[in-house]
């Protein structure tokens, strides 16, 4: 029997280390996929909220300038307790909001109207869509300016 100095191959330790590194790489790739799916879901819900806000602005822009839905809601007064309970801390500066009768599942829509802002005979409409993602409140806000027809 001769010496083993000329033999080529892998030791059991080298194989175990290589398999361990492969497993870590596969697990990292799987975690990356789960994170990407969560990011896609968040982007999808943000897009849905933006579409709801844009649709609400379109509806409000297509009604008459003096319609009751466009009555000014921003005043010099303080926010009422009812309104304060509806809003997240980031929205408490709205003072008063209008809430539509129907709300889409998982989303809440609010809007406020400020009269004569930024110019006389203009109304600024702010639509806020709020939703909860895993206990975190997220909002999308869009503004539009409506001028009084000539």
């Amino acid at each position: 029997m001769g010496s083993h100095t000329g033999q080529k191959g892998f030791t059991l330790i080298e194989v175990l280390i290589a398999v361990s590194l492969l497993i870590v790489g596969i697990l990292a790739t799987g975690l990356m996929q789960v994170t990407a799916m969560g990011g896609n879901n968040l982007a999808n819900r943000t897009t849905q909220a933006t579409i709801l806000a844009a649709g609400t602005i379109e509806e409000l822009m297509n009604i008459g300038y003096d319609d009751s839905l466009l009555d000014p809601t921003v005043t010099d007064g303080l926010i009422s307790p009812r309104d304060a309970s509806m809003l997240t801390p980031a929205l408490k500066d709205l003072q008063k909001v209008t809430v539509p009768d129907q709300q889409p599942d998982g989303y809440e829509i609010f809007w406020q109207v400020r009269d004569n802002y930024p110019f006389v005979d203009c109304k600024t409409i702010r639509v806020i869509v709020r939703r909860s993602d895993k206990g975190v409140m997220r909002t999308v806000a869009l503004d539009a300016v409506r001028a009084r027809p000539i």
Side-chain angles (χ1 to χ4, degrees), residues 14 18 25 57 85 124 126:
E14 291 173 328
I57 282 199
S85 68
T124 299
R126 169 169 283 175

Side-chain angles (χ1 to χ4, degrees), residues 79-88 92 108 110 130:
I79 189 166
S80 70
R82 175 190 168 274
D83 292 337
S85 68
M86 291 189 315
L87 301 176
T88 62
K92 292 213 185 247
E108 296 174 294
F110 310 97
R130 180 174 82 163

Side-chain angles (χ1 to χ4, degrees), residues 3-5 19 29 42-43 55 60 87 90 98 106 114 128 143:
S3 71
H4 298 285
T5 57
V19 168
T29 303
L42 176 63
L60 293 173
L87 301 176
T98 303
R114 186 167 182 183
I128 300 106
D143 292 342

Side-chain angles (χ1 to χ4, degrees), residues 74-139:
V74 177
T75 63
D76 293 332
L78 299 173
I79 189 166
S80 70
R82 175 190 168 274
D83 292 337
S85 68
M86 291 189 315
L87 301 176
T88 62
L91 299 178
K92 292 213 185 247
D93 65 337
L94 293 179
Q95 296 185 8
K96 186 179 177 198
V97 294
T98 303
V99 182
D101 294 334
Q102 304 248 337
Q103 298 283 340
D105 286 340
Y107 296 89
E108 296 174 294
I109 301 173
F110 310 97
W111 70 82
Q112 72 175 148
V113 178
R114 186 167 182 183
D115 207 7
N116 294 321
Y117 183 82
F119 306 107
V120 176
D121 289 334
C122 287
K123 292 183 179 186
T124 299
I125 304 165
R126 169 169 283 175
V127 174
I128 300 106
V129 178
R130 180 174 82 163
R131 71 188 191 287
S132 176
D133 282 334
K134 297 179 183 174
V136 176
M137 292 305 291
R138 302 196 188 270
T139 60

Side-chain angles (χ1 to χ4, degrees), residues 29-66:
T29 303
L31 181 60
M32 181 183 64
Q33 291 297 319
V34 170
T35 304
M37 288 174 18
N40 285 342
N41 185 38
L42 176 63
N44 183 34
R45 291 187 45 84
T46 301
T47 300
Q48 289 174 349
T50 304
I51 289 169
L52 286 170
T56 303
I57 282 199
E58 283 293 320
E59 290 176 17
L60 293 173
M61 294 292 280
N62 285 325
I63 61 177
Y65 185 83
D66 294 320

Side-chain angles (χ1 to χ4, degrees), residues 17 71 100 150:
I17 291 172
D71 285 345
I150 299 176

